[in-house]
Amino acid sequence: MVSAQSSNLVQTHSLLVMKSFLIWTFTLAVCLLVVGFPLVVLMATIGCLLSIVLQSVMPASAVLVVAGGLVMLNVMAVLIAAGVLTAKGIHPKQIKWLSWLHGEAEKTQTTVYAACPLTCEINQ
């Protein structure tokens, strides 16, 4: 009975770690594509220049090597960052600015008009 419960706890913990890793991977990939757009443009520019330089060395596959290297670099950066965040035990629900990820709406402030302090207390 005890071994069955401990096995269930280990399985539950591993599923939670896997879920956290997958959520971090999704979140970091989306942030790289949306927020990191200037970084993507910079990497594309450097990739173009690098493929032009490599064209003289390996004419048939310079573009393929550079594009594959840049894609692999991005994927590895996202996976390593997600692994580090998961290993540190940081769950995406703990991050305040990720409220869009887990469906919580941000609390909106009520509108206060400029004349309200003068007229709101008047009872007629």
Side-chain angles (χ1 to χ4, degrees):
M1 180 68 181
V2 173
S3 65
Q5 288 178 348
S6 66
S7 172
N8 193 17
L9 288 175
V10 169
Q11 185 179 11
T12 304
H13 178 68
S14 63
L15 286 175
L16 287 175
V17 169
M18 179 76 76
K19 179 182 173 184
S20 178
F21 177 76
L22 290 174
I23 290 173
W24 273 122
T25 304
F26 169 74
T27 305
L28 292 173
V30 168
C31 288
L32 178 66
L33 290 175
V34 175
V35 179
F37 185 73
L39 180 64
V40 172
V41 170
L42 181 67
M43 286 188 303
T45 305
I46 292 172
C48 288
L49 294 174
L50 189 60
S51 65
I52 290 171
V53 170
L54 284 178
Q55 190 70 27
S56 64
V57 177
M58 49 182 148
S61 61
V63 175
L64 182 64
V65 168
V66 171
L70 286 175
V71 169
M72 185 183 68
L73 179 73
N74 286 325
V75 169
M76 292 303 294
V78 167
L79 291 177
I80 288 171
V84 167
L85 288 168
T86 303
K88 286 189 175 187
I90 301 172
H91 196 270
K93 287 189 177 183
Q94 297 172 342
I95 308 299
K96 185 174 115 176
W97 58 271
L98 286 178
S99 62
W100 59 270
L101 183 64
H102 36 84
E104 295 175 9
E106 291 185 16
K107 296 177 183 173
T108 58
Q109 296 181 356
T110 58
T111 306
V112 177
Y113 297 102
C116 191
L118 299 175
T119 60
C120 287
E121 300 298 323
I122 297 175
N123 294 327
Q124 291 181 344

